Amino acid sequence: MLNIRCPWCGPRDEIEFSYGGQAHVPYPGDPATLTDAEWAQYVFMRDNPKGVFLERWMHAHGCRRWFNAARHTVTHEIYGTYKPGEKPPERPA
Amino acid sequence: MSRIPGAGRIDRARPLGFTFNGRKLTGYAGDTLASALLANGVHLVGRSYKYHRPRGILSAGCEEPNAIVQLERGAHTTPDLRATEIELYDGLEASSVNGSPGVRFDLGSIFGLASPILVAGFYNKTFKWPKAFWERVYEPALRRAAGLGVAPDRPDPDIYDRAHWHCDALVVGAGPAGLTAALDLARAGVRLVLVDEGAAFGGSLLRRPAEIDGIRGARWAAQVERELASMPNVLVLKRTTVFGYYDHNYLMGVEKRTDHLGPGRTKGVARQRLWHFRAGRVVLATGSLERPVVFGNNDLPGIVLANAACAYAHEFGVSLGKRGVAFVNNDAGFQLVLDTHALSRNISHVVDARATPSQALAAQAAAAGIEVLAGHVVACAHGRQRVSSVEAQPLSGGGSRRLACDHVLVSGGFNPVVHLFSQSPGKLRYDDALACFLPAESLQSVGVTGAANGRFTLASARREARAEAARSLAKLGRGSNSGVTPFEDELRLKPLWSVQLALDRAIPGKHFVDFQHDVCERDIRLAAQEGFRSVEHTKRYTTTGMATDQGKTSNVVALALLADKLAKPIPEVGTTTFRPPYTPVVFGALAGRDRGELSDPARLTPMHTWHVEHGAEFENVGQWKRPWYFPRAGEDMHAAVRRESKAVRASAGVMDATTLGKIDIQGQDAAEFLNRVYTNAWTRLAVGACRYGVMCKPDGMVMDDGVTARLAQDRFLMTTTTGNAARVLDWLEEWLQTEWPELDVYCTSVTEQWATVAVVGPNSRRILQALAPGLDLSNEAFPFMTFREATVAGVAARVFRISFSGELSYEINVPAWHGLALWKAVMEAGKPYDVTPYGTETMHVLRAEKGYIIIGQETDGTVTPQDLGMDWVVSKQKRFIGSRSFSRADTARGSGRKQLVGLLPQDRYFVAPEGAHLVASPRFSTFDPARGSPSIGHVTSSYYSPNLEHAFALALVADGRALLGQTVQCALEGGLRAMKVVDPVFYDKEGKRRDGID
């Protein structure tokens, strides 16, 4: 059970949140100009790193706001959470 | 009786009667079931799992593999409890879980005679043929012969609590190390929780002679407990086992609150409480478990661990017999033997595998009249239902000595309890000198101290606990690491796993590694020989460590034996994974109050009571209870649905549509927003009008559909499917928050704020007119796909002229509070037209007759609007979520995609099962009866239509629209059933009925 710091509500148990996959994968500005391969890259392909992963969460059973988290996929340590539009925290050494 | 006068912490003034295997016995307050049995001279407590060998009590704690009992009877019964952990209460009733007809004479012991063939993998190798025999013959027989306890067959009469607790530090284990660390942490002011599984704090201090600060260990523990309990920043929990260590220092424990009082004696009090801890720092002071040595017939009753014998003497005042022999390989074990003997005065020999035991210990033994056989091992034990002698053999070779005895104390070393640490997750390292696994690095903020960290003497354990407390305070930012330096102490241990290994020759008798699963040394060797190299595979093949004790006394021995056979160092073989729970947890504690009605909330519409009163059968749709059909006397579902569907098309029906998801969407950019999420155009929809919309995921697959009305220039009311309401709201919020924060749009769920009554059928206009006399209901004034605000049955309402049946239909929305009144008013006004309440089943039949899709039935996440024949709902002019995907090669391909079609079975009464696969007709070239035929699609909806007087179905079929008029086969176990491919609209193709048929 992760302990996740919602940027609006503070630290709460993981069961209050829903997961939203990789962060910073914006909807393409003009999909019509993309090749099939480029569009497929957006629709189907996501990173799966061993290490720090920038990912989206939503405080579903709280304020219902989306935010981003920098989580280590091995240790589950969360180095920081941040609001949409904000910069991710510095990568830990 | 085998009580030692004056010894132990039992209350001799409070005798307690109890029953074991039908025999009435007496113990004292402060006893465990195990100590009370031993005090009564009962050593034989059960039969083993596979060979049905007589078994006795091995330990005095949670690691017990043999003394497994069924406690109490009836609803209160609990299977597979360890007698060593059960606190005695008056009237306790327990029985052995194995043994038929009784433990003293067990028919199953015949398995012992067959044991040469009952080796590892025996079941897999033997009970393979014939195949059907496994389920019918072998498995039931084996389960009867080898089962453990019996689960209760009645509902659990007890109640269970749950608590969440946040703290700075959680200390697990209140032995000398845990108490020492807790005291330092508590005095520094941190919010602390101290947890121990025992009924009293003190751990090993309660079970052996020890002094701290000049007072007896047990008294010192009580003093510390009092001080801690009086501090406002400390929570102390006894009888609580922390059984699981999860991410972000989240740990779970179960507190046994009334088990020690007996069942049913504390009405209204929760029997157990499930604790959820979140700790800034965790300190594990979980102690160690002594491990046995493998020798011949090492499972005979009377053979116990040295620390258990010491505990029975010092905590319970129980002597294990008249003449004991000890078998040790280390100083700590030797000390336990001397400590035991100090009270029991019954040890005759210490057989020490080391050539030179510590001088101090040897001198003490000599002074106590104990003969020490240095450099010897116990090769095997003799006896039938109790050990009667052992063979002591010198390791250097030479003749053996037979030592008569009625009990044996064994100490093969100690395994730190690293279970929780390992779950944290933490890496272990193997210590050659101590011959055990010790905690190394963890991914979380956790410290391990005391015997759990390999500090096996009181002084070193306490010193290190103080160092750990200082380290924890520094981690919590509450002080600096004070620089207390722990010191190493010597266990002076000679690693010894099995005497056959040490003597390098075969010794008669059975050599048990895992007592509870009857795994012997030869099983481990056989597994290695057969190619099982990974410890995880060996575990599963031999089932070592897979019994209810999870191998607490056997795992390390097993992997040491495997390492020897594989000629690898022990750390290279490694341990199996430690998984929660540390000890078994009853399901009731995990379920807590979430039972029965509280296990899952039920959502009820305001009209629910009416439906119940009128005999509705209900269907679960998400958490909603929806009327399924309204049977009249003598009707089954088929008959009810037949009557309901005919009534709707002939005159009028009424349906509770409250559960449909409703989302109020407001803001300057609301229309633009809908334009982006729906596949069709929304900006020019007039206020007062409604439109059907389909939304897709970026991959172009249909996600949801529904009708949305424009309430004002900047306000819409979106409806969603019942089961998808929350998902659609999440979806809208996600796009608004993460992609288009610049849009001025606000979404609010209003599903529960409105009750919806759908009045459907040719007479619906007349019924509504009676309730809303002021409202012009003509087709011209109130056309299809519009809505009006009006007073209906005296209540302000929104009336939508939309239809999910193809009939003239009005969906009346009123504030939920008025839902029941409106429903009753409709029933009253509808009387002249015999208005018929109908449920979801009839709704499905009616919509399918019109070829209307249901999300999740005609769609499964792989279906585009075009596949459904709904190109008309997909705009070619604008961009929306998923639009780009319609030109992808896969979605745009000219052939091969599954398309929605209708099917009419050749046999008009054949209702094809939904999900049934379709194959090409035998007349087609693709059909090959020898090889079968590939599936070309499947049935998505299938009903009998009373209006068509014909069964019909909707289906997704590859290139289905090209097959119109042809026959496909529904492939079922009983054979092929022919079905004709037709247009998916079966009823009123011209769509005349939606305006009424007057």
Side-chain angles (χ1 to χ4, degrees), chain B residues 812-829:
Chain B
I812 311 165
N813 285 254
V814 292
W817 180 253
H818 299 290
L820 182 57
L822 173 66
W823 179 273
K824 286 178 174 170
V826 168
M827 291 306 298
E828 189 59 33

Side-chain angles (χ1 to χ4, degrees), chain B residues 120-161:
Chain B
F122 169 72
Y123 296 106
N124 317 39
K125 290 167 183 165
T126 310
F127 295 107
K128 293 203 299 201
W129 302 284
K131 198 177 158 198
F133 263 46
W134 174 250
E135 261 176 45
R136 283 189 228 137
V137 182
Y138 297 140
E139 195 185 1
L142 291 173
R143 292 225 181 273
R144 261 199 309 282
L148 279 169
V150 181
D153 56 3
R154 271 163 269 180
D156 192 333
D158 291 312
I159 52 174
Y160 300 86
D161 260 351

Side-chain angles (χ1 to χ4, degrees), chain B residues 37 54 68 86 98 156 234 261 281 299 316 402 406 453 455 476 510 519 532 578 631 658 677 734 777 783 910 954:
Chain B
L37 286 170
I68 306 299
I86 299 169
N98 272 330
D156 192 333
V234 178
L261 302 172
R281 174 82 175 170
D299 66 327
F316 307 104
R402 191 153 175 154
D406 58 7
N453 200 27
R455 314 289 177 180
L476 291 166
K510 284 191 149 335
V519 179
F532 290 88
F578 294 87
T658 303
V677 296
E734 180 184 340
L777 292 178
F910 170 65
L954 297 175

Side-chain angles (χ1 to χ4, degrees), chain B residues 278-300:
Chain B
R278 178 82 72 181
R281 174 82 175 170
V282 174
V283 177
L284 299 174
T286 42
S288 63
L289 298 175
E290 200 167 12
R291 64 176 178 247
V293 180
V294 181
F295 57 85
N297 300 326
N298 57 335
D299 66 327
L300 274 171

Side-chain angles (χ1 to χ4, degrees), chain B residues 18 96 115 158 249 266 302 328 411 413 682 740 767 840 911 959 962 966:
Chain B
F18 69 102
S96 310
S115 66
D158 291 312
N249 271 356
T266 46
V328 304
S411 177
W682 287 80
W740 307 316
I767 296 170
T840 50
V911 179
D959 298 318
Q966 302 187 15

Side-chain angles (χ1 to χ4, degrees), chain B residues 326-581:
Chain B
F327 176 24
V328 304
N329 69 339
N330 67 88
D331 272 1
F334 202 125
Q335 184 65 54
L336 284 165
V337 173
L338 293 173
D339 289 346
T340 308
H341 183 75
L343 284 182
S344 67
R345 317 298 305 171
N346 58 6
I347 309 290
S348 66
H349 294 83
V350 172
V351 179
D352 194 324
R354 299 171 297 175
T356 48
S358 304
Q359 257 181 356
L361 293 173
Q364 279 181 59
I370 301 172
E371 188 185 340
V372 178
L373 301 179
H376 280 61
V377 293
V378 168
C380 65
H382 302 286
R384 287 183 64 82
Q385 298 201 334
R386 172 109 183 239
V387 62
S388 58
S389 67
V390 295
E391 303 266 351
Q393 289 198 2
L395 279 170
S396 52
S400 70
R401 268 178 72 181
R402 191 153 175 154
L403 307 171
C405 60
D406 58 7
H407 65 290
V408 177
L409 279 57
V410 183
S411 177
F414 297 85
N415 293 326
V417 176
V418 293
H419 299 64
L420 291 174
F421 174 83
S422 182
Q423 290 170 25
S424 71
K427 283 207 175 98
L428 304 176
R429 66 177 176 85
Y430 187 75
D431 187 296
D432 284 315
L434 299 174
C436 66
F437 286 93
L438 293 176
E441 316 84 50
S442 172
L443 296 180
Q444 302 203 47
S445 182
V446 55
V448 188
T449 189
N453 200 27
R455 314 289 177 180
F456 294 116
T457 63
L458 187 55
S460 71
R462 292 197 65 225
R463 171 81 78 94
E464 197 216 27
R466 301 209 65 176
E468 176 49 44
R471 202 157 45 235
S472 291
L473 286 170
K475 290 269 184 198
L476 291 166
R478 305 291 280 263
S480 61
N481 203 332
S482 69
V484 182
T485 44
F487 59 87
E488 302 282 340
D489 53 2
E490 281 187 311
L491 186 56
R492 301 227 324 114
L493 172 143
K494 175 188 173 68
L496 176 65
W497 309 104
S498 114
V499 296
Q500 293 192 114
L501 218 60
L503 295 166
D504 197 22
R505 63 186 172 82
I507 303 289
K510 284 191 149 335
H511 297 249
F512 284 94
V513 176
D514 183 323
F515 294 96
Q516 198 172 131
H517 259 176
D518 270 357
V519 179
C520 296
E521 191 177 341
R522 62 164 184 180
D523 296 317
I524 310 281
R525 284 207 298 266
L526 181 66
Q529 206 170 305
E530 291 185 4
F532 290 88
R533 287 178 144 53
S534 151
V535 64
E536 294 283 4
H537 292 161
T538 305
K539 165 184 157 175
R540 284 155 182 80
Y541 188 54
T542 63
T543 75
T544 307
M546 292 174 71
T548 62
D549 65 345
Q550 291 285 289
K552 288 185 179 64
T553 56
S554 61
N555 279 347
V556 176
V557 177
L559 71 90
L561 295 174
L562 180 67
D564 173 75
K565 185 72 189 170
L566 298 175
K568 277 185 178 175
I570 287 172
E572 257 181 57
V573 172
T575 64
T576 53
T577 309
F578 294 87
R579 292 194 178 85

Side-chain angles (χ1 to χ4, degrees), chain B residues 748-788:
Chain B
T748 310
S749 166
V750 293
T751 304
E752 308 214 338
Q753 278 64 32
W754 294 90
T756 307
V757 178
V759 188
V760 185
N763 281 319
S764 58
R765 183 176 281 136
R766 294 188 181 90
I767 296 170
L768 179 57
Q769 195 71 75
L771 297 170
L775 184 61
D776 184 349
L777 292 178
S778 66
N779 276 324
E780 299 70 37
F782 191 173
F784 184 60
M785 293 307 266
T786 62
F787 81 94
R788 296 291 178 264

